[in-house]
Amino acid sequence: MPVLVVNVDHVATIRQARMGREPEPVAAAQLCEFGGAQGIIVHLREDRRHIQDRDLEMLKATIGLNLHLEMAAISEMQDIALKTSPHMICLVPEKREELTTEGGLECKGREQFLRDYLAPFRDGLIHTSLFIDADKYQIDAAAEAGTEYVEIHTGHYADAGDPVTRQNELEKIIAGIDHALSLGLKVNLGHGLNYQNIFAFARMPGIKEYSIGHSIVSRAVMVGMARAVEQMAVIIRGFVD
Ligand code: PXP
């Protein structure tokens, strides 16, 4: 059965807007657990724009769910990940100027580098995943690099501006999933998945995890807005002149 793994980066994004204490991503992760998530994902970026090192440490120490760490394939992150020992790491490309992860990891031609980078994780029994586009050559290279999982990038599908492009992207993803499974890879999906487009990926055989962040945090803001205002309004109405 596929599981939902929630990315809480954007809870930290709101906190970092004021560099303050709230909202607390660790508390959000616990609420994700109450809601039925089976894992929590954070992306510790090199520039620390949202998740901080202390978030990762506190999540590891406090949540009962599997913790996944998205990270760039750099030695700083390798050290942090080996020290933290999450359930799974997922290697993603990272550019400082991007708003979010824009494309899949370039694996073709870097198979040996990735194999070496992943080796200590395999030895430490930490599951490994590579975030890649649904491209046959990247999938072949990911398998060659010895990863256990690939996360197929659904963002190009999610962002498609017209039905023809969307259908083409969906077909690429379906072919990519089939190819990855045929090579013995385990397959996750993620990026840009929301309450509408998730249905395109329902009941696809072989998917282990759906990795979803932005749409869930956005929905949380909206479904919680009236209640949050009501709570402040009650306080203010209670003031006496
Ligand atoms: N998977 C990967 C590899 C990502 O980088 C992200 C965004 O951090 C996600 C999934 C979640 O994407 P979204 O926030 O669009 O749901």
Side-chain angles (χ1 to χ4, degrees), residues 43-47 70-72 92-96 98:
H43 182 174
L44 185 68
R45 295 185 76 104
E46 226 185 322
D47 63 10
E70 278 176 24
M71 56 190 233
V92 299
E94 203 174 288
K95 293 192 224 108
R96 275 180 188 269
E98 70 191 354

Side-chain angles (χ1 to χ4, degrees), residues 7 9-10 43 70 90 92 100-101 131 151 190-193 211-215:
N7 179 315
D9 289 353
H10 293 314
H43 182 174
E70 278 176 24
C90 179
V92 299
T100 180
T101 315
F131 178 63
E151 179 179 324
H191 217 283
L193 296 175
S211 166
I212 309 182
H214 187 264
S215 65

Side-chain angles (χ1 to χ4, degrees), residues 134-147:
D135 172 285
K136 182 181 181 305
Y137 299 102
Q138 297 297 344
I139 295 167
D140 287 341
E144 186 63 31
T147 187

Side-chain angles (χ1 to χ4, degrees), residues 200-221:
F201 303 101
R203 285 189 284 280
M204 274 190 183
I207 304 304
K208 297 280 185 209
E209 294 179 356
Y210 296 89
S211 166
I212 309 182
H214 187 264
S215 65
I216 291 180
V217 175
S218 304
R219 177 72 60 116
V221 170

